Amino acid sequence: VIVADAGQEPLDITIAEAVSLRGRIVTDDPRIVIAGLPLLARPELSPHTGRSAVADTDAEGYFEFEGLPPGRYLITFGFRNVEGVEAAAGLIPIRAGPFEAGGDEVSVEVRYGGVIAGALVDGHGNPIEQRIRVEALGLNEDDQKDYARRYFATSKPDGTFELVGLVFGRYSLSFDPVVERASTALRGPRTTYVDNVVSGTDELLVTMLEGIAVHGTVQNEKGELVSGKGYVQVRPTGSASGGQQAVILRVGLDGTFRTPPLEPDQAYVVHAQGFAGYGHTTLEGISPSAEPIIVTLPGAKRITGRVVDDKGAAATGTSVVAYAIGVAPGTTGFRGFTYVGADGTFELEGLG
């Protein structure tokens, strides 16, 4: 953007000529060719907002980004664990920039990451044919969860699974049955967790015992069914809200929800929020059962007000966040967010 005053001397504006960034994807084994790999070039100084470009590697592993403004760029790929992009499976970048566009050919160095693979069986040793969503979440030296190392896969019909491209280290694994919308089954293999699995493990045998779902309906204080953009979260009592053991559910048009089968002897917290026109509600001590539960949402309340600076002028654009006081352990307490308007007023809606 160029700002100029009317009537000033003529401006000399120079537009930089577009350049290309060429190179090749290489590994420590020169016999391996990485073909058909989708790539993204992002400006080093503004990787999230600057002008980016895409390219694919050719049959020899070479790529070319065209029409770039001069500058230095980071090259990323990743489509990691997205089904259908086989070329990216298992690859971890070692040296991917920054590279100067318009210069000599560059080499993007990659290596294949670790693998965790195995088989899923039921309590009788039979393969689990149902689709299971597998998540690997990294563990640090102090056993804290490392969300920067998070990988996903889906089991195959023969009960086997494979997570690829893992940075080497320890992982906590979760195995979640995929609930098909057309299914009405309440029983089946339950969500299972396995901790301290090292990348490179390729014969892990996981037994998924039978569980039963937490299911029910969401309604208002008049007994009318509620649906929409809100969600229901079900998590074991004492676990963190939004953590690895939490199940986040959308509510159907008929106001119903259903978790995957869960451990029958475990108590759960059921929390519903985000439904337009309603507040939030929490049920505790819920056990999985064939009997449905009813989650009743209170009518929404709101907080309105005005924000001014020390001179009494409207503090336009200031963010206003609402947190509940005295919330249950493991929850954030976050309830609403808005901005101050041009006249200094704000309104937080949908508060319980």
Side-chain angles (χ1 to χ4, degrees):
V1 177
I2 298 175
V3 180
D5 295 325
Q8 74 175 47
E9 292 297 321
L11 296 175
D12 290 327
I13 302 174
T14 302
I15 299 177
E17 182 179 354
V19 295
S20 297
L21 177 57
R22 303 180 181 88
R24 189 171 189 252
I25 304 293
V26 297
T27 72
D28 55 1
D29 185 344
R31 297 170 298 176
I32 297 177
V33 176
I34 310 297
L37 178 63
L39 301 173
L40 176 68
R42 302 177 298 151
E44 177 190 17
L45 299 180
S46 54
H48 302 294
T49 58
R51 180 179 175 181
S52 301
V54 295
D56 292 341
T57 56
D58 63 18
E60 300 298 324
Y62 288 93
F63 61 85
E64 180 176 3
F65 297 98
E66 299 180 315
L68 295 174
R72 289 159 60 86
Y73 289 82
L74 303 168
I75 295 178
T76 61
F77 59 90
F79 299 101
R80 181 183 294 163
N81 296 319
V82 176
E83 294 180 1
V85 186
E86 297 297 334
L91 293 177
I92 298 175
I94 302 301
R95 179 176 180 270
F99 301 115
E100 190 74 33
D104 297 333
E105 283 190 353
V106 302
S107 292
V108 177
E109 300 174 19
V110 301
R111 67 172 168 82
Y112 282 93
V115 174
I116 295 178
L120 308 174
V121 297
D122 61 20
H124 302 288
N126 300 314
I128 301 285
E129 298 179 356
Q130 180 180 344
R131 284 199 306 148
I132 305 297
R133 179 177 178 270
V134 186
E135 176 187 354
L137 184 56
L139 294 174
N140 293 326
E141 292 183 359
D142 57 358
D143 287 333
Q144 295 299 309
K145 301 293 175 62
D146 179 6
Y147 285 89
R149 293 189 290 134
R150 198 174 189 182
Y151 304 84
F152 299 93
T154 302
S155 65
K156 299 177 182 178
D158 63 356
T160 60
F161 69 92
E162 184 179 46
L163 292 150
V164 298
L166 282 69
V167 174
F168 294 99
R170 295 183 304 123
Y171 289 84
S172 174
L173 304 185
S174 65
F175 301 87
D176 296 304
V178 176
V179 178
E180 308 293 348
R181 284 194 172 274
S183 173
T184 58
L186 297 177
R187 295 183 180 273
R190 72 191 190 207
T191 299
T192 302
Y193 302 93
V194 181
D195 283 330
N196 290 311
V197 180
V198 179
S199 57
T201 303
D202 60 2
E203 294 184 357
L204 183 66
L205 183 64
V206 179
T207 300
M208 300 183 69
L209 301 178
E210 185 180 69
I212 187 168
V214 171
H215 65 112
T217 56
V218 178
Q219 65 180 35
N220 60 23
E221 293 172 316
K222 297 179 181 180
E224 300 167 331
L225 297 176
V226 175
S227 62
K229 295 183 178 180
Y231 66 89
V232 174
Q233 177 180 218
V234 181
R235 59 181 176 84
T237 299
S239 65
S241 176
Q244 189 180 27
Q245 299 185 53
V247 180
I248 309 295
L249 305 166
R250 293 296 181 186
V251 175
L253 296 177
D254 57 356
T256 62
F257 65 90
R258 175 166 54 96
T259 70
L262 304 175
E263 184 177 347
D265 298 328
Q266 170 72 54
Y268 291 84
V269 176
V270 178
H271 179 80
Q273 76 174 70
F275 296 89
Y278 297 98
H280 65 91
T281 192
T282 301
L283 304 179
E284 298 185 5
I286 300 298
S287 298
S289 168
E291 295 298 320
I293 64 173
I294 297 176
V295 179
T296 302
L297 298 175
K301 298 178 176 59
R302 63 178 184 169
I303 297 176
T304 61
R306 190 165 185 266
V307 181
V308 298
D309 60 21
D310 56 359
K311 298 180 180 179
T316 304
T318 301
S319 59
V320 181
V321 183
Y323 285 92
I325 298 175
V327 298
T331 61
T332 65
F334 174 80
R335 294 294 180 263
F337 175 85
T338 190
Y339 289 102
V340 174
D343 59 354
T345 61
F346 69 90
E347 182 175 349
L348 288 159
E349 297 184 303
L351 303 177

